[in-house]
Amino acid sequence: MSSSELEAKKAADGQQEAKVPAGVEITGSKQPEEDTNARTKAELDFAAAEQYKNQGNEMLKTKEFSKAIDMYTKAIELHPNSAIYYANRSLAHLRQESFGFALQDGVSAVKADPAYLKGYYRRAAAHMSLGKFKQALCDFEFVAKCRPNDKDAKLKFTECNKIVKMRAFERAIAVDKPEKTLSEMYSDMENITIEDDYKGPQLEDGKVTLKFMMELMEHYKAQKRLHRKFAYKILCEIDTYMRAQSSLVDITVQDEEKFTICGDIHGQFYDLMNIFEINGLPSEKNPYLFNGDFVDRGSFSVECIFTLFGFKLLYPNHFFLARGNHESINMNQMYGFTGEVTAKYTSAMADIFTQVFNWLPLCHCINQKILVMHGGLFSTEDVTLDNIRRIERNCQPPEEGLMCELLWSDPQQWMGLGQSKRGVGIQFGPDVTEKFCKDNNLDYIIRSHEVKDMGYEVAHNGKCITVFSAPNYCDTMGNMGAFITITGNNLKPNFKSFEAVPHPDVKPMAYANSLMNWLA
């Protein structure tokens, strides 16, 4: 905790305590006994609220974020004017990646006590997480002005200001130009020299082979890098292939064939290898679908994405990849992938990934009965599979509409539509899922996007299934990962949970923007 935050906390704590007895309206018409009773109730409510807050703080330390949120909520119900309670609950929402709720609590903290600087930090953190850097900059600037001698406050303002200026510069130099494939843009890559001391895997006549993939995985396990010539070649081949795909890809699974669906991987390469160890390597007899968020947060995202792209090129009709909300430039710049690619290769390659990610399909339909997308369903009724097929996806995810909601939405347990806890997309209830499946003749949907204790969750009367394949997410959450298997003649989902495996001592978010490391 910085000196400014510590001082602000002490000041706010004192203000909150002082407000309790003053919070009871006293008028000359009240009898002394009524006045005493009112004071006593206010004091008892505040004491109980403080207990709930303290319990929430302990649960926050043990990473029981949902329970912490419940405790802070109870504190707020008893004492709704405490900036501290809102700020603490905002932090718990940030840890759960519920950025929309975190923003609301940050706003409430500032409103409850404009002198409580941590409220501005919470609001700024939520804005940063949503890619709203100008709004975050305003809060960092306010804190820096309030505490001109606080180096930490000045550093946060300076770092955020750099991001805002960088974004403005990128927009200024951007020009419309004819769309070219990566192969056209990097036609000279064939002339890249392979150094004599490179002993890693090599493409055979420019093509991915099973031998190459086996050597690549072992190479990565030993923390070695694929030569840039082969990395560029794989990206060019993937770009060419994905451009020809629909936004919705239809998959046919034969009667006795097993098919595996995996959720978020998030740069956890050694856990990806464990999936293949448990469930078998991809092959024409063992097909896979990976449902987005391959990169970011975990610090082995480069290894994950080239492994997945390699298997896609090796088995194009038996290995499938969908776009997640983290296959986007905002997320990649903030949560580590851009920094990792730049560190392991070049910033130019990071730009190439942005183009490739734009062409990833948005969802898949298995045997015309199971729709698989990263996020969820829609704010508008009567969306059909053909509507999804017609989405123009070669862009950064918009802030609303079908593409946005496919990547960002979440299910909710109550009926109807709700405001997104993330601040992007929507939340959809069992009735929404039921109608969508009925209208499109689907048995159920599979989505990812959310950490689950067992790596999966069945909701909406079995019609909405979440699968998440990054165990002990960010080395902190303690969750299991999972994957789903089905067969062509039995579409009933089978779940396999698994624990995290050890990885080299490179922490999650090691390549992330410095401000995001602070937020994490």
Side-chain angles (χ1 to χ4, degrees):
M1 182 182 297
S2 70
S3 59
S4 65
E5 288 179 302
L6 183 59
E7 291 172 14
K9 184 179 188 307
K10 289 178 179 177
D13 285 345
Q15 289 167 359
Q16 298 302 333
E17 290 170 2
K19 288 176 182 176
V20 176
V24 180
E25 183 179 355
I26 308 288
T27 66
S29 63
K30 286 188 176 181
Q31 298 298 318
E33 184 177 348
E34 293 175 341
D35 183 31
T36 300
N37 289 341
R39 283 180 176 273
T40 301
K41 183 180 185 306
E43 290 167 356
L44 289 173
D45 284 350
F46 179 69
E50 282 290 286
Q51 286 187 341
Y52 284 130
K53 180 201 74 172
N54 293 336
Q55 291 177 46
N57 291 349
E58 291 304 312
M59 290 169 179
L60 200 61
K61 291 177 184 177
T62 57
K63 302 179 177 61
E64 299 175 275
F65 302 123
S66 294
K67 292 180 180 179
I69 289 168
D70 290 341
M71 291 297 104
Y72 296 136
T73 300
K74 290 178 179 179
I76 290 168
E77 289 170 351
L78 289 171
H79 191 57
N81 297 319
S82 170
I84 296 172
Y85 302 165
Y86 287 112
N88 288 7
R89 191 170 69 175
S90 179
L91 178 60
H93 282 310
L94 284 168
R95 293 293 182 263
Q96 286 198 318
E97 301 184 10
S98 298
F99 304 131
F101 288 171
L103 179 58
Q104 290 177 11
D105 279 342
V107 170
S108 296
V110 171
K111 183 182 291 186
D113 185 355
Y116 184 52
L117 297 186
K118 193 176 288 186
Y120 295 91
Y121 275 136
R122 295 289 181 262
R123 189 167 67 178
H127 275 138
M128 286 284 293
S129 300
L130 290 166
K132 298 179 179 180
F133 305 108
K134 284 187 177 181
Q135 292 92 324
L137 183 63
C138 291
D139 284 332
F140 287 131
E141 183 177 22
F142 177 81
V143 176
K145 286 181 178 179
C146 288
R147 300 289 180 184
N149 297 321
D150 189 320
K151 293 181 180 179
D152 184 64
K154 184 177 181 180
L155 176 63
K156 290 179 174 63
F157 167 70
T158 301
E159 288 299 313
C160 189
N161 197 28
K162 286 180 183 177
I163 296 171
V164 171
K165 289 182 177 179
M166 180 186 70
R167 294 298 176 93
F169 176 74
E170 289 173 347
R171 288 193 299 270
I173 65 173
V175 295
D176 293 330
K177 53 186 177 182
E179 180 69 26
K180 292 184 178 181
T181 67
L182 291 180
S183 294
E184 292 170 330
M185 294 169 63
Y186 293 92
S187 57
D188 61 343
M189 69 176 183
E190 298 294 340
N191 299 323
I192 296 176
T193 302
I194 300 174
E195 295 79 7
D196 291 339
D197 60 352
Y198 176 73
K199 305 300 181 184
Q202 301 196 29
L203 298 174
E204 298 179 22
D205 297 323
K207 300 297 182 183
V208 172
T209 62
L210 180 58
K211 177 177 179 290
F212 171 83
M213 289 306 302
M214 298 299 291
E215 291 178 356
L216 178 66
M217 289 185 288
E218 292 304 314
H219 196 66
Y220 281 155
K221 289 176 187 177
Q223 301 183 70
K224 298 178 181 178
R225 295 177 191 170
L226 177 66
H227 195 279
R228 64 188 184 282
K229 178 172 184 173
F230 306 126
Y232 278 116
K233 180 64 174 176
I234 287 173
L235 288 171
C236 289
E237 292 297 316
I238 281 288
D239 177 66
T240 300
Y241 181 90
M242 290 301 181
R243 286 168 180 265
Q245 301 304 297
S246 169
S247 291
L248 189 160
V249 173
D250 291 291
I251 299 172
T252 299
V253 181
Q254 300 301 323
D255 283 351
E256 301 298 329
E257 183 180 70
K258 182 182 81 169
F259 189 87
T260 302
I261 303 107
C262 297
D264 303 42
I265 297 299
H266 276 300
Q268 297 183 200
F269 173 74
Y270 294 86
D271 293 309
L272 172 61
M273 293 296 97
N274 192 38
I275 292 174
F276 294 155
E277 182 71 24
I278 295 168
N279 194 57
L281 286 173
S283 71
E284 293 181 353
K285 298 295 185 182
N286 192 28
Y288 279 83
L289 163 60
F290 282 84
N291 196 30
D293 280 14
F294 319 122
V295 301
D296 280 338
R297 295 195 180 272
S299 295
F300 304 94
S301 292
V302 164
E303 290 79 359
C304 285
I305 196 63
F306 278 120
T307 299
L308 296 173
F309 279 174
F311 275 120
K312 179 61 183 175
L313 294 174
L314 183 60
Y315 304 118
N317 299 318
H318 297 86
F319 194 88
F320 302 91
L321 301 171
R323 190 176 189 175
N325 63 300
H326 274 266
E327 278 69 59
S328 63
I329 189 168
N330 267 355
M331 293 290 149
N332 294 163
Q333 288 181 344
M334 297 309 298
Y335 290 96
F337 184 59
T338 296
E340 183 180 342
V341 175
T342 301
K344 294 179 178 179
Y345 289 100
T346 64
S347 59
M349 184 178 286
D351 294 337
I352 291 174
F353 272 107
T354 297
Q355 178 169 324
V356 172
F357 287 162
N358 282 353
W359 286 107
L360 289 173
L362 301 178
C363 53
H364 295 77
C365 190
I366 302 172
N367 286 9
Q368 302 180 345
K369 288 296 182 181
I370 307 170
L371 189 68
V372 188
M373 79 287 285
H374 182 73
L377 296 180
F378 312 101
S379 58
T380 54
E381 292 187 358
D382 304 322
V383 175
T384 67
L385 300 188
D386 282 339
N387 293 145
I388 299 172
R389 287 189 179 92
R390 290 194 291 268
I391 294 174
E392 294 289 338
R393 70 184 187 279
N394 180 26
C395 61
Q396 289 304 296
E399 293 189 1
E400 59 184 10
L402 299 187
M403 180 175 173
C404 168
E405 290 162 355
L406 279 169
L407 299 179
W408 278 97
S409 291
D410 296 292
Q412 63 183 19
Q413 60 185 5
W414 49 92
M415 297 293 183
L417 298 174
Q419 182 182 7
S420 171
K421 63 187 179 183
R422 300 176 188 270
V424 188
I426 53 100
Q427 293 185 181
F428 57 97
D431 55 327
V432 177
T433 304
E434 176 76 28
K435 184 179 186 303
F436 179 82
C437 288
K438 182 178 180 181
D439 289 349
N440 289 284
N441 196 28
L442 298 169
D443 288 351
Y444 57 91
I445 66 171
I446 296 176
R447 41 90 62 182
S448 301
H449 196 39
E450 284 186 288
V451 179
K452 298 298 177 183
D453 287 344
M454 294 301 295
Y456 70 92
E457 181 180 74
V458 180
H460 295 182
N461 302 311
K463 291 191 175 295
C464 179
I465 297 171
T466 298
V467 60
F468 191 87
S469 303
N472 195 26
Y473 180 46
C474 291
D475 284 358
T476 61
M477 297 299 290
N479 62 291
M480 300 187 78
F483 54 81
I484 297 170
T485 58
I486 59 171
T487 58
N489 58 2
N490 182 3
L491 298 180
K492 178 182 176 181
N494 301 291
F495 304 99
K496 174 64 177 178
S497 297
F498 57 93
E499 295 183 344
V501 297
H503 63 75
D505 188 22
V506 183
K507 302 299 183 185
M509 301 281 283
Y511 300 96
N513 177 278
S514 58
L515 266 179
M516 296 310 296
N517 269 317
W518 164 69
L519 297 180

